[in-house]
Amino acid sequence: MADRVSPDRQGQAVPPIAVSNTSTLVNKTGSWKYIRPLYQDRVAPCNAGCPVGIDIEGYMNLLREGRIGEAADLLVRENPMPAVTGRVCHHPCETHCNRRLFDEPVSIHAVERLLGDLSLDGEQQVATPRRKRKHKIGIVGSGPAGLACAYHLARIGYPVTVFEAASEPGGMLRLGIPEFRLPRPVLSREIDRIRAHGVDIRCGVKVGSDLPWKELSAYDAVFVASGAHRGRGLGVEGENLQGVRAGLQFLKEVNFGARPDLGRRVFVIGGGNTAMDCARTALRLGAEPVVLYRRTRAEMPAILEEVEEAEREGIGIEFLTAPIAFHAKNGRLQSIECIRMRLGPPDESGRRRPIPSDEAPFTLPADTVLTAIGEQTDLGFLPEEIRLDGSVVTVNEFGKTSNPLVYAGGDVVEQPRTVADALGAGKRAAIGIDWYLLLTAGESLEAINADSLRYGGTGNMSVTSWRHDDPVPRTSPLNEVVPFEDLNMSHFARAIRNFDRHLSAEDSASSFREVNLGLGRELAFTEAGRCFNCGVCNRCELCLIFCPDVAISRRSDGLGFDIAMDYCKGCGVCTVECPRGAMTMTREGL
């Protein structure tokens, strides 16, 4: 027995070790498995949560590799206005970010803003469409929905004409958002880029009066994105007094250079973004504004950052407060009569309904009241054949109305009234219009599918399926979003989020300069490096390193890895170790 054991350096016995003189390649252990690993790119939750359909993970990965120009190109391919959305989007991508469950979400909006600014500062290159389309498209309105639709249609070869009632293009981006949130040079340069694709924008043309609807019949398809520009009434005594003004009209005047005297005691009625913009604008005109909102902070529809900015600048917010009457002296507003509210059961919006409390009414002296409780559409120019649902147009998911050659999107349809949702609606309508026109022109479904990459990108609007009873493209149900639980946090280190820089509260309140200064170049790229790149293989090689059968190898073309199935035992170590959830196990033979 002693002859079969040899001592090691510590004098301990070492059992015999089997050594083969033959290559292990002869033992095809892959025959043992019943499941096999599969590289399967899945959708990052930020991509899925983006209303614009941007490939956020894609451009973050390009930045990680130092390919800045390509990252900017990928972003602009899917979003015609990244320098705008990086400033004013409510960035739902960040609330979906998997990193929020590890430490803090990636500051996606700040990275997008920097890339958008870099794309404007660089040389503007406009790709020539692969083929010109003969069909002409007319678009009503040059807000974000109309501009997005025009941009994407022009990129794939359609001649597009946009009709805008105002003297300058931009819709609510120019009319309703103050310059301290969205500098006008940034907006104008974004619109210039859209024009550079051949989009003809005609301002001072109001469809219905300057341009009768029947004249739009000269176009092969029409996209309606005229926005919501009429403020809602409060329905209380005295709201027509001098000194009670619609908040949106007030913002339009200021955005075009007016500086009205509001007096000192200014009250803003509402809790949305328009209310915050009115209050912050009034502050810059020398007033001491207070926001009156009938619900609590938790129910405010305004972007959280905008509420925090208003409070940082010293603007007060009175919650659970609603006006019931406006009182005058010599025909002009002098005071507001208010009541306290309490919250009852949820209403149709899902928020708890405000109900008058038992407290006695109280009066506040006031010089000006700005009402900002929402805006309404004006769709009187549409023909009767276009089906409406109350004050909005009835459309399918790609914006098609009851007339197959008329599409609609943005604030004129039932969807969230945000810049991002409007841009997404314009993009979907562009895809729907293109598919409809190609099919009616006789192109085959197979040819359209083969050319679907012209829509540009791998965000959450990839057109991959078709339903014959409703001729519009569909998003594939196979686009699985990768959850946090499928990521391997052992391969990531905690890293603090980088936050935007801001003007001081004093400087903010005294001018219309841009308040949010974003992140500098270095910090923005550091922030991009915090991205997990969820669901997508970025060639980190951990699967190759951890494979116990050495069955994984680099592909010769550098585009990922090959798995030698003759030797893979289906142990699943590679999928467990994958940091990004880009590998799954599937049953053998499927």
Side-chain angles (χ1 to χ4, degrees), residues 313-473:
E313 293 173 357
I315 293 170
I317 304 178
E318 288 288 332
F319 296 103
L320 294 172
T321 303
I324 57 173
F326 300 106
H327 300 295
K329 183 177 181 179
N330 299 325
R332 180 174 177 82
L333 175 73
Q334 186 174 29
S335 63
I336 313 175
E337 186 177 356
C338 300
I339 56 172
R340 296 293 184 188
M341 312 294 286
R342 60 182 179 86
L343 296 182
D347 61 14
E348 61 277 1
S349 72
R351 296 177 297 169
R352 294 179 65 187
R353 184 186 305 276
I355 301 173
S357 72
D358 296 330
E359 296 182 36
F362 60 97
T363 300
L364 300 170
D367 297 313
T368 301
V369 167
L370 301 172
T371 61
I373 59 170
E375 290 76 42
Q376 295 177 309
T377 58
D378 182 2
L379 301 175
F381 63 91
L382 291 177
E384 292 183 359
E385 68 195 59
I386 304 299
R387 189 178 303 125
L388 303 181
D389 181 6
S391 61
V392 295
V393 182
T394 302
V395 295
N396 68 6
E397 64 181 296
F398 278 75
K400 189 177 68 173
T401 71
S402 51
N403 181 332
L405 293 179
V406 178
Y407 289 69
D411 290 351
V412 301
V413 304
E414 188 62 48
Q415 68 171 48
R417 290 185 172 180
T418 72
V419 174
D421 285 284
L423 288 168
K427 182 178 182 178
R428 289 192 300 274
I431 296 172
I433 289 169
D434 183 41
W435 275 63
Y436 187 85
L437 291 177
L438 290 176
L439 284 175
T440 54
E443 291 210 29
S444 69
L445 181 61
E446 292 74 18
I448 297 173
N449 276 325
D451 196 28
S452 64
L453 287 179
R454 68 181 175 277
Y455 299 129
T458 55
N460 61 10
M461 292 187 193
S462 299
V463 179
T464 56
S465 62
W466 179 261
R467 196 175 78 188
H468 292 283
D469 62 342
D470 187 11
V472 297

Side-chain angles (χ1 to χ4, degrees), residues 547-567:
C547 177
D549 299 307
V550 198
I552 297 178
S553 59
R554 302 178 189 89
R555 288 181 50 167
S556 59
D557 58 10
L559 300 177
F561 306 91
D562 287 321
I563 303 175
M565 291 301 173
D566 282 347
Y567 301 97

Side-chain angles (χ1 to χ4, degrees), residues 45-56 89 92-93 96 112 420 424 460-461:
C46 56
N47 287 21
C50 175
V52 188
I54 302 172
D55 186 7
I56 297 169
C89 178
C93 52
H96 286 75
E112 180 173 312
N460 61 10
M461 292 187 193

Side-chain angles (χ1 to χ4, degrees), residues 73 76-77 80 119-120 122-130 132 150-158 189-199:
D73 288 343
V76 174
R77 189 187 310 165
S119 71
L120 292 177
E123 183 178 350
Q124 299 294 311
Q125 296 181 349
V126 178
T128 302
R130 283 185 289 174
K132 291 288 187 181
Y151 172 79
H152 291 293
L153 286 170
R155 285 185 61 247
I156 55 179
Y158 288 96
R189 291 166 70 193
E190 294 273 48
I191 295 174
D192 287 344
R193 174 165 53 202
I194 294 170
R195 275 185 162 129
H197 283 78
V199 175

